[in-house]
Amino acid sequence: MSRPRIFVAGHRGMVGAALVRALQRQPGGADLRLCPREQLDLRDSAAVDRFFARERPEQVYLAAARVGGILANDRYRADFIADNLAIELAVIGAAQRHGVERLLFLGSSCIYPRLAPQPIAETALLGGPLEPTNQPYAIAKIAGLELCDAYRRQHGCDFRAAMPTNLYGPGDNHHPDHSHVIPGLMRRFHEAVRTGADEVVIWGSGQPRREFLHVDDLAEACLHLMALPRAQWEAAVRTPHVNVGTGEDLTIAELATRLAALCGFTGALRFDTSRPDGTPRKVLDVSLIHRLGWRARIGLAEGLATTYAHYRTLAA
């Protein structure tokens, strides 16, 4: 049996790279059709259309997105909504026009209301106001999953969507201002140890609770969801998407304490309450994906340790 031609959109990002690793680990490897950003701007609908016409992918993983932490989301609001909408319209539209057999769109748990009941079930979507600091990004991601659902309903496309919780792992962005919480704190603690600093500042109160999923677990979940027969997917999934997470959370203060110990930092933690906290709590209800036969395998302690080991090789 011939291998399907697979396009991983965003293959150089943290999620896309994890997908490529997971696909290459499959028996017989994978027939990957990859194209770097320098050669294909995924916001350019005409260029994306030409790529699909030339490569004829049969499966698409849409992992490409403009992403960032709470500061970047709030500071570059127009860029976050415009770029992500453009990518979704170009790639999902081309997939429909060129007869892609199956597509998986990756969103974000920030699509849910700021004060959604916890743990957050898929049915909580559009049930209340979004978190203001990342609202433009969230709206773009909601549009993406609705676009997949609309193509499925109108054109019969087998387009699916997965909503992962907060991700971390090798290949993450450790920018001092624009990163997410784990890579940002990891960098601060590592540099504090290197410079002998006696204090590390952590944005916010430390009280919000967050759930974290290793990116390699997400990649395995994506392959699992893509491999499900269409009849099984449609019988089980009554919403436009499926949550992907661990179902477990901890406070930012608890996370910071773990990371400080991991990095060897013994100084003080100071919480800067002038910085926004974001959503008070965000942990996903993962009962649906459990019923579909997938569970996370990488515990937080193991995942943080391997991620920090990878970061140390980059920071050396």
Side-chain angles (χ1 to χ4, degrees):
M1 182 181 296
S2 62
R3 297 172 299 169
R5 298 181 296 276
I6 301 174
F7 173 43
V8 178
H11 73 281
R12 286 182 172 175
M14 178 176 69
V15 174
L19 283 167
V20 169
R21 292 194 299 270
L23 288 163
Q24 291 174 333
R25 286 195 298 266
Q26 291 186 309
D31 184 0
L32 298 177
R33 307 301 171 101
L34 308 176
C35 196
R37 183 185 306 173
E38 297 81 12
Q39 298 176 23
L40 178 61
D41 183 347
L42 293 175
R43 299 168 300 180
D44 184 338
S45 182
V48 171
D49 212 64
R50 290 192 296 270
F51 173 82
F52 273 70
R54 182 177 72 249
E55 300 295 337
R56 308 298 299 182
E58 297 164 278
Q59 295 182 7
V60 172
Y61 291 86
L62 181 41
R66 185 179 185 122
V67 299
I70 190 170
L71 181 63
N73 268 278
D74 200 31
R75 180 176 292 173
Y76 305 112
R77 301 173 73 85
D79 295 341
F80 271 74
I81 190 168
D83 286 353
N84 285 299
L85 286 173
I87 290 168
E88 293 158 10
L89 287 167
V91 175
I92 297 171
Q96 186 272 326
R97 289 190 296 274
H98 292 278
V100 167
E101 295 174 4
R102 189 167 292 171
L103 176 145
L104 184 68
F105 169 72
L106 290 170
S108 165
S109 58
C110 71
I111 64 169
Y112 291 117
R114 183 177 189 273
L115 300 178
Q118 305 289 323
I120 309 172
E122 287 87 352
T123 52
L125 182 67
L126 303 178
L130 298 166
E131 162 58 35
T133 56
N134 60 21
Q135 182 169 295
Y137 176 73
I139 288 173
K141 287 298 184 180
I142 292 169
L145 70 89
E146 291 291 344
L147 191 60
C148 290
D149 193 53
Y151 273 116
R152 181 182 66 81
R153 292 171 180 266
Q154 182 175 340
H155 297 288
C157 300
D158 189 359
F159 292 175
R160 309 174 180 189
M163 293 298 125
T165 191
N166 301 287
L167 300 171
Y168 71 99
D172 211 340
N173 169 27
H174 293 267
H175 190 279
D177 294 324
H178 301 156
S179 60
H180 290 108
V181 61
I182 285 179
L185 286 178
M186 196 170 282
R187 174 173 178 158
R188 286 183 215 170
F189 286 127
H190 180 83
E191 292 186 348
V193 171
R194 182 178 58 83
T195 61
D198 57 8
E199 176 185 86
V200 165
V201 177
I202 300 162
W203 293 354
S205 68
Q207 296 311 302
R209 301 186 67 88
R210 292 292 183 269
E211 172 189 23
F212 297 99
L213 178 70
H214 193 281
V215 70
D216 286 341
D217 263 344
L218 172 64
E220 294 296 338
C222 291
L223 269 60
H224 180 84
L225 293 175
M226 279 285 266
L228 292 174
R230 182 169 185 172
Q232 182 181 358
W233 174 277
E234 294 184 345
V237 182
R238 300 300 184 181
T239 53
H241 63 286
V242 172
N243 287 340
V244 184
T246 65
E248 301 174 356
D249 65 349
L250 75 170
T251 68
I252 297 300
E254 290 167 337
L255 173 68
T257 300
R258 287 195 186 194
L259 285 170
L262 177 65
C263 299
F265 177 73
T266 58
L269 308 183
R270 180 167 67 84
F271 293 90
D272 181 359
T273 55
S274 70
R275 300 282 190 170
D277 269 341
T279 303
R281 188 186 184 202
K282 190 166 60 173
V283 59
L284 297 182
D285 180 342
V286 291
S287 56
L288 175 55
I289 197 168
H290 286 177
R291 292 197 300 272
L292 290 170
W294 180 87
R295 289 177 181 266
R297 295 183 300 150
I298 303 172
L300 186 60
E302 175 192 355
L304 291 177
T306 57
T307 300
Y308 183 52
H310 178 78
Y311 172 68
R312 289 182 66 179
T313 65
L314 301 177

mmCIF file of all heavy atoms in Angstrom, residues 134-174:
data_model
loop_
_atom_site.group_PDB
_atom_site.id
_atom_site.type_symbol
_atom_site.label_atom_id
_atom_site.label_comp_id
_atom_site.label_asym_id
_atom_site.label_seq_id
_atom_site.Cartn_x
_atom_site.Cartn_y
_atom_site.Cartn_z
ATOM 1 N N ASN A 134 -5.936 37.840 24.958
ATOM 2 C CA ASN A 134 -5.659 37.060 23.741
ATOM 3 C C ASN A 134 -6.892 36.879 22.865
ATOM 4 O O ASN A 134 -6.965 35.960 22.065
ATOM 5 C CB ASN A 134 -5.037 35.704 24.087
ATOM 6 C CG ASN A 134 -5.933 34.853 24.964
ATOM 7 O OD1 ASN A 134 -7.142 35.050 25.031
ATOM 8 N ND2 ASN A 134 -5.341 33.895 25.654
ATOM 9 N N GLN A 135 -7.843 37.796 22.987
ATOM 10 C CA GLN A 135 -9.099 37.670 22.240
ATOM 11 C C GLN A 135 -8.911 37.623 20.729
ATOM 12 O O GLN A 135 -9.536 36.788 20.055
ATOM 13 C CB GLN A 135 -10.050 38.806 22.628
ATOM 14 C CG GLN A 135 -11.403 38.730 21.933
ATOM 15 C CD GLN A 135 -12.397 39.704 22.542
ATOM 16 O OE1 GLN A 135 -12.774 39.571 23.696
ATOM 17 N NE2 GLN A 135 -12.796 40.707 21.761
ATOM 18 N N PRO A 136 -8.078 38.481 20.112
ATOM 19 C CA PRO A 136 -7.930 38.403 18.656
ATOM 20 C C PRO A 136 -7.412 37.043 18.185
ATOM 21 O O PRO A 136 -7.907 36.487 17.191
ATOM 22 C CB PRO A 136 -6.938 39.523 18.343
ATOM 23 C CG PRO A 136 -7.096 40.486 19.468
ATOM 24 C CD PRO A 136 -7.351 39.633 20.667
ATOM 25 N N TYR A 137 -6.434 36.497 18.890
ATOM 26 C CA TYR A 137 -5.899 35.178 18.538
ATOM 27 C C TYR A 137 -6.976 34.109 18.706
ATOM 28 O O TYR A 137 -7.145 33.235 17.859
ATOM 29 C CB TYR A 137 -4.692 34.873 19.421
ATOM 30 C CG TYR A 137 -4.101 33.499 19.232
ATOM 31 C CD1 TYR A 137 -3.370 33.194 18.096
ATOM 32 C CD2 TYR A 137 -4.255 32.518 20.207
ATOM 33 C CE1 TYR A 137 -2.808 31.923 17.927
ATOM 34 C CE2 TYR A 137 -3.696 31.255 20.050
ATOM 35 C CZ TYR A 137 -2.979 30.961 18.907
ATOM 36 O OH TYR A 137 -2.430 29.718 18.737
ATOM 37 N N ALA A 138 -7.711 34.186 19.814
ATOM 38 C CA ALA A 138 -8.755 33.205 20.074
ATOM 39 C C ALA A 138 -9.833 33.244 18.995
ATOM 40 O O ALA A 138 -10.301 32.195 18.525
ATOM 41 C CB ALA A 138 -9.372 33.451 21.449
ATOM 42 N N ILE A 139 -10.230 34.434 18.589
ATOM 43 C CA ILE A 139 -11.263 34.559 17.555
ATOM 44 C C ILE A 139 -10.776 33.955 16.242
ATOM 45 O O ILE A 139 -11.532 33.283 15.527
ATOM 46 C CB ILE A 139 -11.663 36.035 17.385
ATOM 47 C CG1 ILE A 139 -12.487 36.489 18.603
ATOM 48 C CG2 ILE A 139 -12.453 36.256 16.102
ATOM 49 C CD1 ILE A 139 -12.789 37.966 18.637
ATOM 50 N N ALA A 140 -9.504 34.164 15.912
ATOM 51 C CA ALA A 140 -8.960 33.556 14.697
ATOM 52 C C ALA A 140 -9.002 32.036 14.787
ATOM 53 O O ALA A 140 -9.344 31.352 13.797
ATOM 54 C CB ALA A 140 -7.531 34.040 14.467
ATOM 55 N N LYS A 141 -8.668 31.475 15.935
ATOM 56 C CA LYS A 141 -8.694 30.024 16.092
ATOM 57 C C LYS A 141 -10.125 29.479 16.061
ATOM 58 O O LYS A 141 -10.378 28.400 15.503
ATOM 59 C CB LYS A 141 -7.997 29.622 17.393
ATOM 60 C CG LYS A 141 -6.486 29.770 17.333
ATOM 61 C CD LYS A 141 -5.903 28.855 16.275
ATOM 62 C CE LYS A 141 -4.400 28.885 16.221
ATOM 63 N NZ LYS A 141 -3.841 27.980 15.191
ATOM 64 N N ILE A 142 -11.070 30.203 16.638
ATOM 65 C CA ILE A 142 -12.475 29.802 16.554
ATOM 66 C C ILE A 142 -12.917 29.803 15.100
ATOM 67 O O ILE A 142 -13.614 28.880 14.643
ATOM 68 C CB ILE A 142 -13.347 30.739 17.400
ATOM 69 C CG1 ILE A 142 -13.043 30.552 18.888
ATOM 70 C CG2 ILE A 142 -14.829 30.484 17.128
ATOM 71 C CD1 ILE A 142 -13.670 31.607 19.785
ATOM 72 N N ALA A 143 -12.501 30.817 14.349
ATOM 73 C CA ALA A 143 -12.845 30.876 12.929
ATOM 74 C C ALA A 143 -12.282 29.673 12.180
ATOM 75 O O ALA A 143 -12.938 29.123 11.284
ATOM 76 C CB ALA A 143 -12.319 32.181 12.321
ATOM 77 N N GLY A 144 -11.073 29.236 12.539
ATOM 78 C CA GLY A 144 -10.474 28.089 11.864
ATOM 79 C C GLY A 144 -11.249 26.813 12.074
ATOM 80 O O GLY A 144 -11.497 26.051 11.131
ATOM 81 N N LEU A 145 -11.647 26.552 13.312
ATOM 82 C CA LEU A 145 -12.385 25.302 13.538
ATOM 83 C C LEU A 145 -13.782 25.381 12.929
ATOM 84 O O LEU A 145 -14.312 24.374 12.434
ATOM 85 C CB LEU A 145 -12.425 24.959 15.028
ATOM 86 C CG LEU A 145 -13.245 25.782 15.997
ATOM 87 C CD1 LEU A 145 -14.667 25.244 16.116
ATOM 88 C CD2 LEU A 145 -12.597 25.761 17.373
ATOM 89 N N GLU A 146 -14.393 26.560 12.940
ATOM 90 C CA GLU A 146 -15.692 26.704 12.300
ATOM 91 C C GLU A 146 -15.576 26.576 10.781
ATOM 92 O O GLU A 146 -16.477 26.055 10.121
ATOM 93 C CB GLU A 146 -16.314 28.054 12.672
ATOM 94 C CG GLU A 146 -16.729 28.168 14.134
ATOM 95 C CD GLU A 146 -17.913 27.281 14.483
ATOM 96 O OE1 GLU A 146 -18.614 26.806 13.562
ATOM 97 O OE2 GLU A 146 -18.132 27.038 15.686
ATOM 98 N N LEU A 147 -14.453 27.037 10.235
ATOM 99 C CA LEU A 147 -14.227 26.893 8.800
ATOM 100 C C LEU A 147 -14.144 25.416 8.418
ATOM 101 O O LEU A 147 -14.736 24.981 7.418
ATOM 102 C CB LEU A 147 -12.944 27.625 8.410
ATOM 103 C CG LEU A 147 -12.654 27.823 6.920
ATOM 104 C CD1 LEU A 147 -13.758 28.631 6.254
ATOM 105 C CD2 LEU A 147 -11.309 28.528 6.737
ATOM 106 N N CYS A 148 -13.419 24.627 9.228
ATOM 107 C CA CYS A 148 -13.350 23.186 8.975
ATOM 108 C C CYS A 148 -14.728 22.549 9.041
ATOM 109 O O CYS A 148 -15.097 21.728 8.197
ATOM 110 C CB CYS A 148 -12.416 22.523 9.990
ATOM 111 S SG CYS A 148 -10.677 22.911 9.768
ATOM 112 N N ASP A 149 -15.507 22.925 10.061
ATOM 113 C CA ASP A 149 -16.842 22.357 10.217
ATOM 114 C C ASP A 149 -17.759 22.765 9.068
ATOM 115 O O ASP A 149 -18.573 21.960 8.587
ATOM 116 C CB ASP A 149 -17.425 22.805 11.561
ATOM 117 C CG ASP A 149 -18.659 22.014 11.949
ATOM 118 O OD1 ASP A 149 -18.584 20.768 11.954
ATOM 119 O OD2 ASP A 149 -19.700 22.633 12.249
ATOM 120 N N ALA A 150 -17.610 24.010 8.605
ATOM 121 C CA ALA A 150 -18.443 24.478 7.506
ATOM 122 C C ALA A 150 -18.125 23.741 6.202
ATOM 123 O O ALA A 150 -19.035 23.360 5.447
ATOM 124 C CB ALA A 150 -18.249 25.990 7.319
ATOM 125 N N TYR A 151 -16.848 23.514 5.927
ATOM 126 C CA TYR A 151 -16.482 22.756 4.731
ATOM 127 C C TYR A 151 -16.969 21.309 4.831
ATOM 128 O O TYR A 151 -17.359 20.702 3.832
ATOM 129 C CB TYR A 151 -14.966 22.786 4.532
ATOM 130 C CG TYR A 151 -14.471 23.986 3.754
ATOM 131 C CD1 TYR A 151 -13.639 24.941 4.351
ATOM 132 C CD2 TYR A 151 -14.827 24.162 2.417
ATOM 133 C CE1 TYR A 151 -13.181 26.034 3.631
ATOM 134 C CE2 TYR A 151 -14.383 25.263 1.703
ATOM 135 C CZ TYR A 151 -13.560 26.196 2.313
ATOM 136 O OH TYR A 151 -13.123 27.277 1.601
ATOM 137 N N ARG A 152 -16.961 20.773 6.038
ATOM 138 C CA ARG A 152 -17.465 19.411 6.217
ATOM 139 C C ARG A 152 -18.963 19.357 5.918
ATOM 140 O O ARG A 152 -19.441 18.460 5.193
ATOM 141 C CB ARG A 152 -17.201 18.941 7.655
ATOM 142 C CG ARG A 152 -17.680 17.519 7.942
ATOM 143 C CD ARG A 152 -17.431 17.138 9.388
ATOM 144 N NE ARG A 152 -18.222 17.924 10.318
ATOM 145 C CZ ARG A 152 -19.501 17.672 10.609
ATOM 146 N NH1 ARG A 152 -20.123 16.644 10.032
ATOM 147 N NH2 ARG A 152 -20.148 18.427 11.469
ATOM 148 N N ARG A 153 -19.707 20.321 6.449
ATOM 149 C CA ARG A 153 -21.152 20.315 6.279
ATOM 150 C C ARG A 153 -21.580 20.661 4.859
ATOM 151 O O ARG A 153 -22.507 20.056 4.312
ATOM 152 C CB ARG A 153 -21.789 21.310 7.268
ATOM 153 C CG ARG A 153 -21.679 20.892 8.729
ATOM 154 C CD ARG A 153 -22.122 22.016 9.641
ATOM 155 N NE ARG A 153 -22.037 21.661 11.042
ATOM 156 C CZ ARG A 153 -23.055 21.163 11.760
ATOM 157 N NH1 ARG A 153 -24.222 20.965 11.183
ATOM 158 N NH2 ARG A 153 -22.885 20.876 13.030
ATOM 159 N N GLN A 154 -20.898 21.628 4.245
ATOM 160 C CA GLN A 154 -21.321 22.077 2.911
ATOM 161 C C GLN A 154 -20.747 21.222 1.790
ATOM 162 O O GLN A 154 -21.434 20.922 0.811
ATOM 163 C CB GLN A 154 -20.926 23.540 2.697
ATOM 164 C CG GLN A 154 -21.367 24.097 1.339
ATOM 165 C CD GLN A 154 -21.077 25.583 1.203
ATOM 166 O OE1 GLN A 154 -20.900 26.285 2.201
ATOM 167 N NE2 GLN A 154 -21.025 26.061 -0.026
ATOM 168 N N HIS A 155 -19.477 20.809 1.926
ATOM 169 C CA HIS A 155 -18.795 20.121 0.831
ATOM 170 C C HIS A 155 -18.465 18.657 1.136
ATOM 171 O O HIS A 155 -17.914 17.974 0.264
ATOM 172 C CB HIS A 155 -17.504 20.861 0.478
ATOM 173 C CG HIS A 155 -17.728 22.258 -0.023
ATOM 174 N ND1 HIS A 155 -18.269 22.533 -1.272
ATOM 175 C CD2 HIS A 155 -17.501 23.473 0.560
ATOM 176 C CE1 HIS A 155 -18.357 23.848 -1.440
ATOM 177 N NE2 HIS A 155 -17.893 24.437 -0.347
ATOM 178 N N GLY A 156 -18.777 18.193 2.332
ATOM 179 C CA GLY A 156 -18.491 16.803 2.669
ATOM 180 C C GLY A 156 -17.033 16.519 2.955
ATOM 181 O O GLY A 156 -16.614 15.348 2.938
ATOM 182 N N CYS A 157 -16.239 17.557 3.240
ATOM 183 C CA CYS A 157 -14.812 17.368 3.492
ATOM 184 C C CYS A 157 -14.585 16.697 4.850
ATOM 185 O O CYS A 157 -15.287 16.975 5.815
ATOM 186 C CB CYS A 157 -14.087 18.716 3.482
ATOM 187 S SG CYS A 157 -14.226 19.627 1.938
ATOM 188 N N ASP A 158 -13.585 15.843 4.915
ATOM 189 C CA ASP A 158 -13.216 15.215 6.177
ATOM 190 C C ASP A 158 -12.160 16.087 6.849
ATOM 191 O O ASP A 158 -10.975 15.764 6.891
ATOM 192 C CB ASP A 158 -12.695 13.795 5.944
ATOM 193 C CG ASP A 158 -12.506 13.018 7.245
ATOM 194 O OD1 ASP A 158 -12.757 13.594 8.319
ATOM 195 O OD2 ASP A 158 -12.095 11.847 7.175
ATOM 196 N N PHE A 159 -12.601 17.221 7.347
ATOM 197 C CA PHE A 159 -11.731 18.185 8.004
ATOM 198 C C PHE A 159 -12.042 18.162 9.494
ATOM 199 O O PHE A 159 -13.194 18.344 9.905
ATOM 200 C CB PHE A 159 -11.944 19.599 7.454
ATOM 201 C CG PHE A 159 -11.495 19.790 6.031
ATOM 202 C CD1 PHE A 159 -11.732 20.995 5.381
ATOM 203 C CD2 PHE A 159 -10.842 18.781 5.325
ATOM 204 C CE1 PHE A 159 -11.311 21.191 4.066
ATOM 205 C CE2 PHE A 159 -10.428 18.965 4.002
ATOM 206 C CZ PHE A 159 -10.664 20.173 3.376
ATOM 207 N N ARG A 160 -11.011 17.965 10.305
ATOM 208 C CA ARG A 160 -11.159 17.800 11.738
ATOM 209 C C ARG A 160 -10.394 18.890 12.475
ATOM 210 O O ARG A 160 -9.538 19.555 11.893
ATOM 211 C CB ARG A 160 -10.651 16.414 12.153
ATOM 212 C CG ARG A 160 -11.261 15.297 11.321
ATOM 213 C CD ARG A 160 -10.671 13.929 11.623
ATOM 214 N NE ARG A 160 -11.303 12.900 10.776
ATOM 215 C CZ ARG A 160 -11.126 11.601 10.920
ATOM 216 N NH1 ARG A 160 -10.302 11.133 11.869
ATOM 217 N NH2 ARG A 160 -11.743 10.750 10.131
ATOM 218 N N ALA A 161 -10.686 19.038 13.763
ATOM 219 C CA ALA A 161 -9.991 20.062 14.554
ATOM 220 C C ALA A 161 -9.695 19.529 15.943
ATOM 221 O O ALA A 161 -10.515 18.837 16.546
ATOM 222 C CB ALA A 161 -10.825 21.337 14.645
ATOM 223 N N ALA A 162 -8.512 19.858 16.443
ATOM 224 C CA ALA A 162 -8.091 19.486 17.791
ATOM 225 C C ALA A 162 -7.689 20.744 18.545
ATOM 226 O O ALA A 162 -7.024 21.618 17.981
ATOM 227 C CB ALA A 162 -6.926 18.503 17.744
ATOM 228 N N MET A 163 -8.085 20.825 19.811
ATOM 229 C CA MET A 163 -7.771 21.985 20.632
ATOM 230 C C MET A 163 -6.835 21.574 21.759
ATOM 231 O O MET A 163 -7.273 21.061 22.797
ATOM 232 C CB MET A 163 -9.055 22.590 21.226
ATOM 233 C CG MET A 163 -9.976 23.210 20.217
ATOM 234 S SD MET A 163 -9.222 24.598 19.332
ATOM 235 C CE MET A 163 -9.461 24.034 17.645
ATOM 236 N N PRO A 164 -5.528 21.745 21.572
ATOM 237 C CA PRO A 164 -4.582 21.385 22.631
ATOM 238 C C PRO A 164 -4.559 22.408 23.755
ATOM 239 O O PRO A 164 -4.844 23.587 23.549
ATOM 240 C CB PRO A 164 -3.236 21.345 21.902
ATOM 241 C CG PRO A 164 -3.413 22.279 20.749
ATOM 242 C CD PRO A 164 -4.858 22.187 20.346
ATOM 243 N N THR A 165 -4.201 21.943 24.933
ATOM 244 C CA THR A 165 -3.980 22.830 26.064
ATOM 245 C C THR A 165 -2.625 23.510 25.907
ATOM 246 O O THR A 165 -1.990 23.428 24.844
ATOM 247 C CB THR A 165 -4.073 22.026 27.378
ATOM 248 O OG1 THR A 165 -4.111 22.931 28.472
ATOM 249 C CG2 THR A 165 -2.910 21.052 27.518
ATOM 250 N N ASN A 166 -2.138 24.169 26.956
ATOM 251 C CA ASN A 166 -0.845 24.856 26.900
ATOM 252 C C ASN A 166 0.269 23.851 26.607
ATOM 253 O O ASN A 166 0.383 22.831 27.290
ATOM 254 C CB ASN A 166 -0.563 25.547 28.229
ATOM 255 C CG ASN A 166 -1.636 26.546 28.583
ATOM 256 O OD1 ASN A 166 -1.739 27.608 28.002
ATOM 257 N ND2 ASN A 166 -2.469 26.193 29.560
ATOM 258 N N LEU A 167 1.091 24.155 25.628
ATOM 259 C CA LEU A 167 2.120 23.232 25.163
ATOM 260 C C LEU A 167 3.512 23.676 25.596
ATOM 261 O O LEU A 167 3.769 24.864 25.811
ATOM 262 C CB LEU A 167 2.081 23.133 23.640
ATOM 263 C CG LEU A 167 0.771 22.636 23.032
ATOM 264 C CD1 LEU A 167 0.798 22.804 21.523
ATOM 265 C CD2 LEU A 167 0.509 21.189 23.415
ATOM 266 N N TYR A 168 4.409 22.714 25.671
ATOM 267 C CA TYR A 168 5.827 23.002 25.935
ATOM 268 C C TYR A 168 6.637 21.853 25.354
ATOM 269 O O TYR A 168 6.098 20.801 25.008
ATOM 270 C CB TYR A 168 6.089 23.135 27.442
ATOM 271 C CG TYR A 168 6.008 21.818 28.185
ATOM 272 C CD1 TYR A 168 7.165 21.102 28.514
ATOM 273 C CD2 TYR A 168 4.783 21.261 28.541
ATOM 274 C CE1 TYR A 168 7.095 19.890 29.182
ATOM 275 C CE2 TYR A 168 4.710 20.049 29.209
ATOM 276 C CZ TYR A 168 5.864 19.362 29.525
ATOM 277 O OH TYR A 168 5.801 18.166 30.166
ATOM 278 N N GLY A 169 7.947 22.058 25.240
ATOM 279 C CA GLY A 169 8.807 21.004 24.737
ATOM 280 C C GLY A 169 9.935 21.552 23.892
ATOM 281 O O GLY A 169 10.095 22.775 23.759
ATOM 282 N N PRO A 170 10.731 20.668 23.288
ATOM 283 C CA PRO A 170 11.846 21.117 22.453
ATOM 284 C C PRO A 170 11.358 21.933 21.266
ATOM 285 O O PRO A 170 10.319 21.637 20.678
ATOM 286 C CB PRO A 170 12.498 19.798 21.998
ATOM 287 C CG PRO A 170 11.442 18.758 22.178
ATOM 288 C CD PRO A 170 10.622 19.192 23.344
ATOM 289 N N GLY A 171 12.110 22.963 20.952
ATOM 290 C CA GLY A 171 11.729 23.834 19.842
ATOM 291 C C GLY A 171 10.860 24.995 20.248
ATOM 292 O O GLY A 171 10.415 25.767 19.389
ATOM 293 N N ASP A 172 10.602 25.156 21.552
ATOM 294 C CA ASP A 172 9.762 26.257 22.021
ATOM 295 C C ASP A 172 10.499 27.583 21.879
ATOM 296 O O ASP A 172 11.725 27.633 21.702
ATOM 297 C CB ASP A 172 9.371 26.024 23.479
ATOM 298 C CG ASP A 172 8.011 26.613 23.820
ATOM 299 O OD1 ASP A 172 7.540 27.500 23.088
ATOM 300 O OD2 ASP A 172 7.418 26.189 24.829
ATOM 301 N N ASN A 173 9.737 28.669 21.988
ATOM 302 C CA ASN A 173 10.280 30.025 21.894
ATOM 303 C C ASN A 173 10.635 30.517 23.286
ATOM 304 O O ASN A 173 9.764 30.658 24.142
ATOM 305 C CB ASN A 173 9.233 30.939 21.246
ATOM 306 C CG ASN A 173 9.603 32.402 21.338
ATOM 307 O OD1 ASN A 173 10.780 32.750 21.418
ATOM 308 N ND2 ASN A 173 8.606 33.273 21.338
ATOM 309 N N HIS A 174 11.933 30.790 23.512
ATOM 310 C CA HIS A 174 12.402 31.234 24.830
ATOM 311 C C HIS A 174 12.667 32.742 24.863
ATOM 312 O O HIS A 174 13.477 33.199 25.664
ATOM 313 C CB HIS A 174 13.666 30.467 25.210
ATOM 314 C CG HIS A 174 13.436 29.015 25.458
ATOM 315 N ND1 HIS A 174 13.185 28.494 26.710
ATOM 316 C CD2 HIS A 174 13.413 27.963 24.603
ATOM 317 C CE1 HIS A 174 13.025 27.180 26.627
ATOM 318 N NE2 HIS A 174 13.165 26.834 25.364
#
